[in-house]
Amino acid sequence: MKFYISTTGIKRLTISSAVGSGGGGGGGGAGGTGGFWQVMKGKGSPATRRISQRAVLPALLILGIFLPFLFLRIAFVVLESATICSSSPGCMGWRFFGGSEPSLRLREELTRALVEAYIDEDGAGIGIEGSPVSFKELVKDVTSNKQDIKAFAFKTKAMILNMERKVQLARRQESIYWHIASHGVPKSLHCLCLKLAEEYAVNAIARSRLPPPEFVSRLTDPSFHHVVLLTDNVLAASVVISSTIKNSANPEKIVFHIVTDKKTYTPMHAWFAVHPITSAVVEVKGLHQYDWSHEVNVGVREMLEIHRLIWSHNYNNLKGEDFESEARQERNLEVLSPSCISLVNHLRIYIPELFPNLNKIVFLDDDIVVQHDLSSLWELDLNGKVVGAVVDSWCGVNCCPGRKYKDYFNFTNTMISSVLDHDRCGWLYGMNVFDLRAWRETNITSTYHQWLKFNLNSGMALWRPGALPPALIAFEGRVHPIHPSWHVSGLGYRFPQVDLQILEAAAVLHFSGPAKPWLEIGVPEVRSLWSRHVNFSNEFIRKCRIIE
């Protein structure tokens, strides 16, 4: 095990190749007694506070752990030396980790005083604000005022409590800064879009047709394997496609459909035009190029507006909230992610309208990397269901691959508690098989809109912001479970715990969570699984200094 301090904080990494015993179809679980891969990532901070936060937060955490023990040990030294030593030479035989019989008596007396000294969480018994701020001040106060051992115990406890509060505050601040860092767009990705947009303007090749005319017929041919990506991230889309092709048994049968917004269309088109993929077909289409009916346009606008209102409602509620626990703070800060109000993120409920001529597609999020061949997904029998998704998990009984319904919904509201089970596992969004023909025969999209309106009329308190909660309700009873090894998620959190062999066996690794692999706060040991599909020798990648 390695324990060290770097410029990004404290890191500890434990890697074992053995597999623990665990339930579920995917193999051993991370919670077993066998091997596991645990990554504890250090504390990130915004660039504007890079020096102060990176210097102060790790120091506060270390001091908060070790200082209480150091205080007590040195207190024994000072008080005992004042009691049994009349001069400095007389104390030469005193041992720091030992002590004479008077030392043992003093230790017992001090321990008893510390146990009896009562200081509640609000600092009753002694003013926390008036407690010593350093050990030197504590010793000076005790010796100069000739206070008894009980007074020393009170002051020591107050000092320790004060330090604990500072550590808790530092953790909360660090968590907030970490989430703020996850919401930004790195200047390297912004640079990449600008460079590609410039290339589109000056280079005719960057404006060439995608796909070439001879492959246009494949865009609606059901005999091909159609993959859909809804994204505004050029680099992420390139990794999804390159990793899929690299691990495909028949890449020539794959057709990629990339749907992006208007501002990203130009750089997205330029990237795949300048870097053509000869083994597969790639289509890049902007939302502004769709000619939807008036009804669909109104529905999309209404959907996005309600999601924005839900996001704003939660944001306003969080501003003055005093978080009860760090875990609750983490969950609440996640809802502030820009993806919660991203149009391309919410448009997945309109996939049948986006691709009216397709019957079956595999949907991939842009924060995934493909590790194995996906061909058999298109042959998967969904047994009349609309979506194939991972529901069960490799980690055992009562362990969800994502989160339980109680983490998404407000079960104090009868509208939710009457139709959903709070302890049920939510299916994973991000790598799914959709039977679009079956979808068109249902009312899934209208049900989705109906529940959005219910949420709006209920004070926007039915669920947390995001695309998944209303989709869980809309697709209720229409989900076909697929094997857990198809999709391992949660790699975008600070403390992912995934068995090494589970990672290697997974067909798709999903960096769901705030720490995307293209961000500096991404966990390096897991991010490397994604970055190995980035061509760092590429001219645009080098010019924009994309991190490796």
Side-chain angles (χ1 to χ4, degrees):
M1 181 176 70
K2 298 179 181 179
F3 185 78
Y4 58 92
I5 298 177
S6 70
T7 56
T8 57
I10 304 174
K11 299 182 181 179
R12 184 178 68 185
L13 173 63
T14 304
I15 299 179
S16 172
S17 60
V19 184
S21 60
T33 57
F36 65 92
W37 182 349
Q38 184 186 36
V39 181
M40 295 187 69
K41 177 68 175 68
K43 321 299 183 186
S45 60
T48 57
R49 303 190 181 182
R50 187 181 303 274
I51 297 177
S52 61
Q53 292 300 325
R54 290 184 177 177
V56 173
L57 292 179
L60 280 176
L61 292 176
I62 294 175
L63 289 175
I65 295 172
F66 294 109
L67 271 185
F69 303 102
L70 186 60
F71 285 163
L72 294 178
R73 185 62 237 175
I74 298 181
F76 291 140
V77 176
V78 174
L79 293 177
E80 183 183 352
S81 62
T83 303
I84 65 175
C85 298
S86 58
S87 63
S88 296
C91 295
M92 293 298 291
W94 194 90
R95 294 182 300 165
F96 186 77
F97 289 101
S100 59
E101 186 176 346
S103 169
L104 296 176
R105 289 199 302 270
L106 178 62
R107 184 180 307 172
E108 293 175 359
E109 186 178 352
L110 180 57
T111 302
R112 185 169 55 256
L114 285 170
V115 172
E116 293 175 356
Y118 175 73
I119 301 177
D120 62 22
E121 293 182 356
D122 296 325
I126 184 172
I128 294 299
E129 298 300 327
S131 63
V133 295
S134 68
F135 178 72
K136 183 178 180 180
E137 183 180 327
L138 174 64
V139 173
K140 181 180 179 181
D141 188 18
V142 172
T143 56
S144 62
N145 296 328
K146 297 182 179 180
Q147 296 176 348
D148 59 21
I149 198 167
K150 287 189 176 181
F152 168 78
F154 274 112
K155 288 183 178 291
T156 302
K157 271 198 170 182
M159 192 171 183
I160 293 173
L161 182 59
N162 198 18
M163 179 60 71
E164 287 178 349
R165 290 185 176 182
K166 288 182 179 180
V167 170
Q168 291 173 359
L169 178 61
R171 285 176 176 171
R172 292 180 182 181
Q173 290 177 338
E174 179 273 335
S175 180
I176 292 173
Y177 298 148
W178 187 82
H179 277 274
I180 290 175
S182 73
H183 298 165
V185 177
K187 63 180 181 181
S188 56
L189 294 188
H190 186 62
C191 165
L192 182 63
C193 282
L194 292 178
K195 293 289 184 183
L196 289 169
E198 180 183 9
E199 190 73 10
Y200 186 91
V202 301
N203 187 351
I205 295 177
R207 299 190 299 273
S208 59
R209 187 172 177 181
L210 287 178
E214 60 270 24
F215 297 125
V216 170
S217 61
R218 296 187 184 183
L219 298 180
T220 56
D221 191 335
S223 65
F224 285 86
H225 297 162
H226 297 272
V227 180
V228 170
L229 286 84
L230 306 178
T231 179
D232 58 359
N233 189 320
V234 178
L235 183 63
S238 71
V239 168
V240 173
I241 291 178
S242 62
S243 64
T244 303
I245 291 175
K246 180 180 178 180
N247 293 286
S248 175
N250 299 294
E252 66 279 356
K253 292 203 66 175
I254 301 178
V255 178
F256 293 97
H257 303 267
I258 302 176
V259 179
T260 189
D261 55 21
K262 187 174 182 179
K263 68 178 177 59
T264 314
Y265 171 75
T266 297
M268 187 76 75
H269 186 107
W271 175 269
F272 289 101
V274 173
H275 309 97
I277 298 174
T278 57
S279 56
V281 172
V282 177
E283 176 194 30
V284 177
K285 198 168 183 179
L287 292 174
H288 60 287
Q289 296 174 322
Y290 282 90
D291 186 19
W292 283 336
S293 66
H294 176 72
E295 181 183 359
V296 173
N297 279 322
V298 170
V300 170
R301 290 197 203 97
E302 182 183 66
M303 172 190 68
L304 190 60
E305 180 61 25
I306 294 177
H307 279 298
R308 288 184 184 276
L309 290 173
I310 296 172
W311 184 91
S312 299
H313 174 77
N314 280 264
Y315 173 77
N316 291 330
N317 287 343
L318 287 176
K319 285 195 295 186
E321 184 172 343
D322 183 18
F323 299 107
E324 297 177 359
S325 66
E326 189 172 345
R328 181 180 176 185
Q329 175 179 274
E330 291 280 344
R331 291 195 301 270
N332 281 293
L333 288 173
E334 282 180 28
V335 307
L336 301 182
S337 171
S339 65
C340 290
I341 52 175
S342 169
L343 175 58
V344 293
N345 189 41
H346 291 295
L347 270 178
R348 58 186 75 185
I349 197 66
Y350 278 96
I351 285 179
E353 284 73 25
L354 290 169
F355 303 99
N357 299 316
L358 297 181
N359 294 327
K360 198 170 192 178
I361 60 103
V362 169
F363 172 80
L364 297 178
D365 254 341
D366 62 2
D367 55 349
I368 67 103
V369 61
V370 177
Q371 296 193 126
H372 301 297
D373 181 42
L374 303 181
S375 299
S376 59
L377 287 176
W378 285 273
E379 309 302 326
L380 186 65
D381 183 6
L382 298 183
N383 296 319
K385 305 296 185 181
V386 174
V387 55
V390 169
V391 179
D392 302 317
S393 178
W394 48 266
C395 55
V397 180
N398 295 324
C399 178
C400 290
R403 288 177 175 172
K404 295 187 176 182
Y405 276 32
K406 62 184 178 182
D407 296 317
Y408 295 109
F409 298 99
N410 176 18
F411 278 89
T412 61
N413 190 292
T414 55
M415 290 187 66
I416 294 296
S417 59
S418 62
V419 297
L420 298 176
D421 177 9
H422 75 284
D423 208 36
R424 185 176 173 183
C425 289
W427 50 274
L428 295 184
Y429 226 154
M431 196 291 295
N432 306 104
V433 185
F434 286 109
D435 186 338
L436 300 186
R437 181 179 297 171
W439 189 338
R440 295 185 187 101
E441 295 174 355
T442 68
N443 60 347
I444 287 176
T445 303
S446 60
T447 300
Y448 183 95
H449 275 273
Q450 184 181 18
W451 275 94
L452 283 180
K453 292 177 182 177
F454 285 160
N455 194 21
L456 182 64
N457 296 331
S458 301
M460 293 168 286
L462 296 186
W463 60 71
R464 302 163 62 80
L468 184 54
L472 291 175
I473 301 179
F475 283 93
E476 181 71 15
R478 305 183 189 276
V479 181
H480 176 75
I482 61 177
H483 196 277
S485 64
W486 279 112
H487 186 184
V488 172
S489 65
L491 301 184
Y493 291 95
R494 288 191 290 176
F495 312 117
Q497 297 185 20
V498 184
D499 188 282
L500 181 57
Q501 291 194 12
I502 293 295
L503 282 176
E504 293 173 348
V508 167
L509 299 180
H510 191 181
F511 291 82
S512 56
K516 302 303 182 186
W518 52 82
L519 300 175
E520 289 188 15
I521 63 172
V523 182
E525 292 76 18
V526 182
R527 184 173 60 191
S528 62
L529 299 172
W530 180 88
S531 60
R532 64 187 178 186
H533 295 284
V534 178
N535 181 10
F536 291 99
S537 62
N538 179 271
E539 176 186 1
F540 295 100
I541 299 294
R542 284 189 294 104
K543 285 183 178 179
C544 291
R545 299 179 180 179
I546 303 292
I547 62 173
E548 185 168 2

